[in-house]
Amino acid sequence: MTDFPTLESERLTLRKLAIEDADALLPAFSDDAQMRWWSHAPIREAAALREHLAPRIDNDGWRAFAIVLKGEARVIGMVSVGERRQGGVGEIGYMILPGLVGRGLAREAVARFLDHLFFTEGKRRVFADTDPDNLPSRRLLEHLGFKLEGVLREEWETHIGVRDTTLYGLLRREWAARRGDISA
């Protein structure tokens, strides 16, 4: 199993996601607006969310960290990475609870996660797959330096119909340059 270090940022702690976190995450996973752009419909029951998360916990192919507000010990979201191919490439995902969107918490969590993925784990490339109409997610990725690499037409069959996808990518050297670390 992959180690799950605890990661710290100014306002947040990122720690291994636990099945018990399903209750805290349910407001996001059950929210129609939050889940509109996900590949599956909202999950309305805590038991169903635990069942959804269970195979993804303790799985080397998919790792998730709970996002916790410092000083409150309250789970407010999650960030995850899926190992998509050998050679240091991972796909990230992220979610923040409704009501906390727009405060820079997802950006802070994802930035800290990228530091870990690139500089500790040695990933060379990280990408994200998002719906073209998910403008907040696209803005977050662009703000962090991800580049739009392509649009896959009619890529996903989802609970809202067949959807295109926009692929965003970020290379370790690009992230290092943004962070001022020219040695990476």
Side-chain angles (χ1 to χ4, degrees):
M1 286 287 124
T2 302
D3 288 334
F4 276 82
T6 298
L7 309 175
E8 302 280 338
S9 69
E10 182 181 339
R11 298 178 289 172
L12 306 170
T13 300
L14 281 63
R15 58 136 172 95
K16 183 179 181 181
L17 185 71
I19 199 69
E20 296 80 20
D21 297 325
D23 291 335
L25 293 171
L26 187 61
F29 275 94
S30 65
D31 184 77
D32 289 330
Q34 263 317 87
M35 295 301 293
R36 177 166 178 76
W37 310 120
W38 281 61
S39 58
H40 60 80
I43 299 172
R44 308 277 187 214
E45 304 292 330
L49 182 54
R50 284 190 289 277
E51 186 176 310
H52 173 77
L53 293 175
R56 294 164 171 82
I57 294 176
D58 292 324
N59 176 342
D60 278 339
W62 187 86
R63 293 175 289 124
F65 287 72
I67 303 169
V68 180
L69 274 177
K70 282 184 176 177
E72 294 186 30
R74 162 171 87 110
V75 174
I76 62 159
M78 60 182 272
V79 293
S80 62
V81 63
E83 305 302 321
R84 292 301 180 224
R85 57 187 90 22
Q86 291 184 357
V89 176
E91 178 182 6
I92 63 165
Y94 40 86
M95 173 184 283
I96 293 289
L97 293 179
L100 296 175
V101 175
R103 297 183 186 179
L105 296 165
R107 183 175 57 237
E108 184 177 328
V110 173
R112 179 62 186 96
F113 196 45
L114 289 170
D115 284 343
H116 175 73
L117 293 175
F118 286 132
F119 304 137
T120 302
E121 292 189 8
K123 297 243 179 288
R124 67 177 165 80
R125 172 182 154 70
V126 171
F127 72 97
D129 171 344
T130 189
D131 190 287
D133 292 331
N134 187 348
L135 298 180
S137 185
R138 293 182 69 182
R139 279 193 296 269
L140 173 96
L141 293 167
E142 290 167 1
H143 179 82
L144 291 171
F146 281 77
K147 297 197 179 4
L148 178 61
E149 296 180 331
V151 176
L152 303 177
R153 297 175 302 143
E154 297 187 8
E155 175 70 1
W156 292 102
E157 188 170 337
T158 76
H159 59 289
I160 62 169
V162 175
R163 304 294 298 171
D164 294 349
T165 194
T166 48
L167 289 177
Y168 281 85
L170 182 65
L171 304 177
R172 179 176 50 229
R173 63 183 160 78
E174 294 167 336
W175 185 245
R178 288 180 67 85
R179 292 303 227 199
D181 181 1
I182 58 172
S183 66

